[in-house]
Every structure is written in C-alpha cells, then in structure tokens.
Amino acid sequence: MKLNKIPATIVTGFLGSGKTTLLSNVLKQAAGKRIAVIVNEFGELDIDADLLRSCPLDCADETAKPLEGERGIYELANGCICCTVEEEFLPVMQQLVARRDDIDHILIETSGLALPKPLVQAFNWPDIKQFCTVDAVITLIDGPAVAAGRFADDEEKVQALRAADENLDHDPSLQELLDDQLGAADLVIVSKDDLLDETQRKLVNSIVAKKVPASVKTLYFNKEAASQDIAHNMPLESLLGIGAASENKIESVHTHHDHHHQHGEHHEHAHDHFDSFVISLGEVDSENLQASLQALLTENNIYRVKGFIAIPDKPMRQVLQAVGARMQVHFDRLWESEEKRATNLVFIGKDLDELAITQVLEESLVEIA
C-alpha cells in the first residue's frame, strides 16, 4: 500500500501560453511514472484532451503506460474548473483516490480562464487531503505578450503601450485573472523566450518579480524548442517533485477574487466576458483556410483558435493553433479508419460574430466527388 500522498501538479496560464505542450511533453519523458491527467477545456470541443491522447509515449515497460480507460485522461468539459470544483473536480479526484495504488502523479491542466486558488483549496477537502497533495502550481505566461503590456499594474500604461493592438483585451477583469494566476504560482514558466530581446526580457523579469515572492523560481523556454521538444529544454526534474504542498499555504494567498467577495461586490469571473464557440466544417483547402483565418485574426478580437483540419487526400490530421496574430500548424497523427474526417475549430474572443466568421471559413471548403 502506498503511504505517501499522491503529488498533483496544477498547470495554469492564460490562453495560448503553452500548457498543453508542456503536459504532452511531460508525458513523453515520464518513463516509469504512472500519470493521470485532468484537462479542463474552455469550449465545446475537447481539443486539449484529444491532443494529449494522441501524444505517443515512449514506454520502457507496461508500468510506464498511462492508466487504463481513456488512457488516463479525465475531461472536465462542463465549464471552467474553478466554477465547478464540487460538481466536476471532486468526483474525479475521488475516482483517482480510489485508484491511488496505480498512480504516481496527477497532472491538472486548467482552462486559460480559471482561477487557481479554488482548485488548490479543494485539496484541503478531507477525503482528498488524506491521500493527495499539490506538488506545485505552475503558471505559464506568454513572454512577448507580457513584454507588450498585456497585463501590468497600471491599466493606463497598458492602454498607452498597446492601444494599436486590435487583438488586445483591456478588460480589467482579465488583468485581475492573470495577476491571480501568478499570485498562486510555485513556479513560473515564460514561453517564447526566443522572441524577446534583452530589454523585453528585463521587462518580463520586472513584471513577474512584482507578482510573485522571491522564492518562486522563473524558468524560460524557447518557442521552437518548446513546440517540438520541450523535454530537453524543460527537464522533468524541473517540473515534478517540487514538494510545495500548496494547499497548506493557499489561504494566505490574497487574490482579486477574495477582494471582491470581502467587499460584497457582485463577482463575475473573467470568462463571463468571453465568447466561445466551435465551427465545424468538412474537408478544406488548408492554405486558403489559414489565409482567411489570418485576416480574421487581424480584423476581430479573437484571442485563441485551436482545432483540427481535414485536408482532402491527406492521410494525417492537421492541428491548428493561433494566439493573437500568431498561428501554427502541424500534422499530429493519421485519421482513424472509423473517424469522421472533419475540420473543427474552437474560437475564443470578445464580441465575435460567429455566423460571419463561419461564412468566411466556408469559402475554404473543398467539394468531395
């Protein structure tokens, strides 16, 4: 019988910061560790879970394989995890506790809109605290976005620095959300370090230093290395085994969320200000789709696009991810024989016209004879 508590790592961060890339590559280098994964995708299409399932594991033996049944992936698809702790998260944790002799570590990926504190607090629930501990809260931030002033203490400074950025949301609730994600961090990871010059890097360091205690370590990784092989750029020992026991100190972490409640204010989570929808199409001309999407990213307040593309006569599925004006595509796996070949894209943004966006993307459809 396992006497030690199961360590759980909570990975949080804003949309497009690289959370799924981090988790999938942790799994790639977790030989010998039996890891359960909980994903909380904001939107109707569970793209993160699908990407993690398709992540090949280099297993030395049977014990290194994911848990049986859905490959150890547990999906929370009925809303932001910080809003559904009792209804969604705790029942899944109870399932994992029941299987604790088969689990070495738990990885939890929150949606980009989740507050980490309520999730960490859930680990003080008696049935969970007895068997599990929060090894660390890891907060990922997009280095270029931070350097561009996408969140800072002075909202007027944000406006001045990024007034011309059509993709930037200046909603103060988003500012507070990002502050709270950093405030709960035991480790901060800055992504896309290769896109920062020395002045920008110093600015990121300064901003992070104002949000986290000096004891919280900040690590950097490069976009190109992270997108393909974060395992070498971010070794497993840097991410797991931190031993922070975050649940024991979470009550001392002050958040904007706490402030609103203490002052009797009506609280709406930041994601109340977002639009989220899925556009489903058939097989498309990928180059035309990407060109149309690039124009849409410039013309609309689209924060995040992620999904899968079906291309005629191509045996492999294409993954598309876009954050702001940056877009990446790659092929991840073969289409399965019984799988419907379809293009599905999740959009997250503000004041979006779903019908108009759909009509633009439908022009990329390819007629199949």
Side-chain angles (χ1 to χ4, degrees), residues 69-260:
E70 292 301 306
R71 294 190 55 184
I73 305 292
Y74 294 79
E75 300 172 42
L76 304 181
N78 294 326
C80 186
I81 194 170
C82 68
C83 302
T84 60
V85 169
E86 292 187 16
E87 298 88 347
E88 296 283 332
F89 177 68
L90 290 177
V92 170
M93 287 299 297
Q94 288 175 316
Q95 292 180 47
L96 297 182
V97 164
R99 304 182 60 187
R100 57 188 177 276
D101 291 336
D102 300 320
I103 299 172
D104 296 318
H105 205 101
I106 301 170
L107 289 177
I108 304 166
E109 179 191 1
T110 72
S111 78
L113 306 172
L115 295 163
K117 184 172 181 177
L119 184 58
V120 177
Q121 287 173 317
F123 279 80
N124 285 316
W125 199 54
D127 287 357
I128 304 302
K129 188 175 182 65
Q130 182 179 356
F131 302 106
C132 302
T133 182
V134 180
D135 184 60
V137 175
I138 299 178
T139 298
L140 276 80
I141 60 174
D142 183 316
V146 174
R150 293 184 190 272
F151 60 92
D153 288 329
D154 188 343
E155 185 69 17
E156 292 183 0
K157 183 178 180 181
V158 174
Q159 293 281 6
L161 291 173
R162 301 301 296 168
D165 188 345
E166 296 180 3
N167 294 305
L168 180 64
D169 174 36
H170 296 293
D171 191 329
S173 63
L174 181 58
Q175 165 77 47
E176 294 174 352
L177 170 64
L178 294 170
D179 287 349
D180 289 353
Q181 289 180 345
L182 278 173
D186 299 301
L187 172 67
V188 176
I189 297 179
V190 180
S191 64
K192 308 179 183 72
D193 181 50
D194 56 316
L195 301 181
L196 299 173
D197 59 30
E198 190 58 32
T199 299
Q200 292 171 319
R201 195 170 292 110
K202 289 180 179 178
L203 177 59
V204 173
N205 285 334
S206 173
I207 292 173
V208 171
K210 294 177 182 177
K211 307 292 183 183
V212 303
S215 59
V216 174
K217 188 176 181 181
T218 300
L219 302 179
Y220 293 79
F221 65 82
N222 296 336
K223 185 182 80 168
E224 292 303 322
S227 63
Q228 299 298 327
D229 195 8
I230 196 174
H232 295 293
N233 190 252
M234 193 66 58
L236 195 65
E237 55 267 25
S238 297
L239 306 172
L240 306 185
I242 294 174
S246 310
E247 70 276 11
N248 293 334
K249 58 187 178 183
I250 193 61
E251 297 305 329
S252 65
V253 175
H254 179 75
T255 68
H256 293 286
H257 180 269
D258 298 328
H259 174 80
H260 292 316

Side-chain angles (χ1 to χ4, degrees), residues 337-352:
S337 58
E338 302 299 322
E339 187 176 12
K340 181 181 178 181
R341 293 171 61 96
T343 298
N344 292 293
L345 299 173
V346 172
F347 283 75
I348 301 175
K350 189 172 183 180
D351 301 324
L352 301 182

